[in-house]
Amino acid sequence: MAGDGAAVRLRDVVKVFGKKVRALRGVSFEVPRGAIYGILGPNGAGKTTTLRIIATLVRHDSGYVEVLGHRLPDERNLVRGRISYLPEDAGLYHRLTGWENLLYFAMIYSDTLEEARRMAELGVKLSGLSERDIHRKASEYSKGMARRVALARALMVGAELVLLDEPTSGLDVFSAYSIRKIIKNFAKSSGATVLMSSHNMLEVEELCDRVILINKGSIVAEGEPAELKERAGAANLEEAFIKLVGGVS
Ligand code: ATP
């Protein structure tokens, strides 16, 4: 149970939406504590569903899910305060400044205003926004700036497990680069476990210790990026993915 090394443990997890949409068809994997894992797959592969099950937001239909040593959904209340989830479409309160967004969120996680301030200060540091920018209204932010604040908000709370759903989607190369840098520095300094989804092979290759390739609700392969490339006889992860999935459909 807790402390035995796995932050996340999934066995034969099935999720069906409605009567027909088999989002997950028996997914099994483990993420050791302190690792950065990537879930990679095309649209509709089941990445968000997997993350939302682990984040205690969606109940699986069958199979076994354990997060930080606790079984879901029964023990979800023992997990919720220890994880953090950044949805793909995570937004900010537009009328508030970046700082106010961080402080507002920090207050939910803190017992005192002082504690909340310290947490929000950490958020500012993580976001990398200048003193001037962090005090601008979120409505004035570029997409990249907004994402940096949203990411900082998810990282600053001291979660043991951080779940990031496509943290760089829709961002230009510069913004995506700074987001990756934030994640990398955070993982190195905090020792937290990070599980992130992505479409971006380069990103996953650069950031993740191991990658889980998922397609149509099933895991196609899992391994270190280099190992997957070698297994598929591919020059890069993109080519490996296409080969392992069985071609372009
Ligand atoms: P994307 O990269 O496009 O975000 P994804 O890999 O995250 O895709 P999911 O969002 O997990 O994929 O979706 C997996 C399947 O489950 C898709 O067919 C999707 O339409 C379906 N699905 C997801 N959530 C729901 C829901 N709440 N109700 C019905 N179907 C859903």
Side-chain angles (χ1 to χ4, degrees):
M1 293 299 266
D4 69 353
V8 175
R9 200 170 262 148
L10 266 65
R11 289 271 172 276
D12 297 322
V13 173
V14 171
K15 177 68 194 173
V16 182
F17 288 108
K19 286 189 181 151
K20 281 198 189 137
V21 183
R22 292 174 62 81
L24 300 182
R25 301 163 182 256
V27 164
S28 305
F29 65 85
E30 282 188 17
V31 183
R33 289 185 195 238
I36 309 186
Y37 267 46
I39 306 181
L40 198 62
N43 290 125
K47 303 183 294 298
T48 300
T49 304
T50 303
L51 290 180
R52 286 176 63 81
I53 287 171
I54 297 166
T56 77
L57 300 172
V58 168
R59 281 178 186 227
H60 53 293
D61 294 316
S62 63
Y64 178 83
V65 179
E66 184 190 300
V67 176
L68 300 173
H70 297 286
R71 189 169 183 168
L72 298 185
D74 298 355
E75 298 184 312
R76 61 189 178 281
N77 290 338
L78 298 172
V79 167
R80 283 184 171 158
R82 298 167 61 197
I83 62 174
S84 157
Y85 172 58
L86 179 72
E88 189 186 349
D89 56 0
L92 301 177
Y93 291 107
H94 281 189
R95 289 187 187 195
L96 302 184
T97 64
W99 164 255
E100 288 164 347
N101 268 280
L102 292 173
L103 188 60
Y104 177 72
F105 204 69
M107 283 167 77
I108 299 169
Y109 277 81
S110 307
D111 294 326
T112 64
L113 185 58
E114 203 39 53
E115 198 185 320
R117 279 186 181 280
R118 276 200 299 274
M119 190 181 279
E121 292 287 1
L122 174 65
V124 175
K125 220 163 142 188
L126 285 164
S127 77
L129 259 67
S130 68
E131 192 62 27
R132 184 173 159 268
D133 284 340
I134 204 71
H135 291 292
R136 281 168 63 190
K137 284 223 185 326
S139 56
E140 297 172 16
Y141 285 173
S142 68
K143 212 168 170 179
M145 288 162 81
R147 191 71 59 85
R148 276 156 65 179
V149 176
L151 176 63
R153 190 177 61 185
L155 302 183
M156 72 182 183
V157 299
E160 292 162 61
L161 171 66
V162 177
L163 305 161
L164 306 173
D165 197 356
E166 299 188 27
T168 63
S169 81
L171 300 183
D172 66 34
V173 288
F174 298 107
S175 296
Y177 176 80
S178 55
I179 291 284
R180 282 203 291 276
K181 211 162 121 188
I182 294 171
I183 296 170
K184 210 173 203 168
N185 290 339
F186 165 80
K188 212 186 315 170
S189 62
S190 71
T193 309
V194 178
L195 178 60
M196 56 180 281
S197 72
S198 182
H199 287 293
N200 186 329
M201 313 274 169
L202 185 80
E203 167 168 303
V204 164
E205 204 164 341
E206 188 187 318
L207 275 181
C208 301
D209 303 319
R210 281 177 87 82
V211 183
I212 295 154
L213 301 184
I214 185 167
N215 190 36
K216 296 177 185 163
S218 300
I219 292 183
V220 180
E222 191 203 315
E224 291 172 18
E227 191 184 323
L228 291 176
K229 285 189 282 185
E230 197 179 311
R231 205 187 301 169
N236 54 53
L237 207 53
E238 190 165 37
E239 194 185 322
F241 181 76
I242 291 168
K243 283 187 171 176
L244 290 164
V245 166
V248 182
S249 54

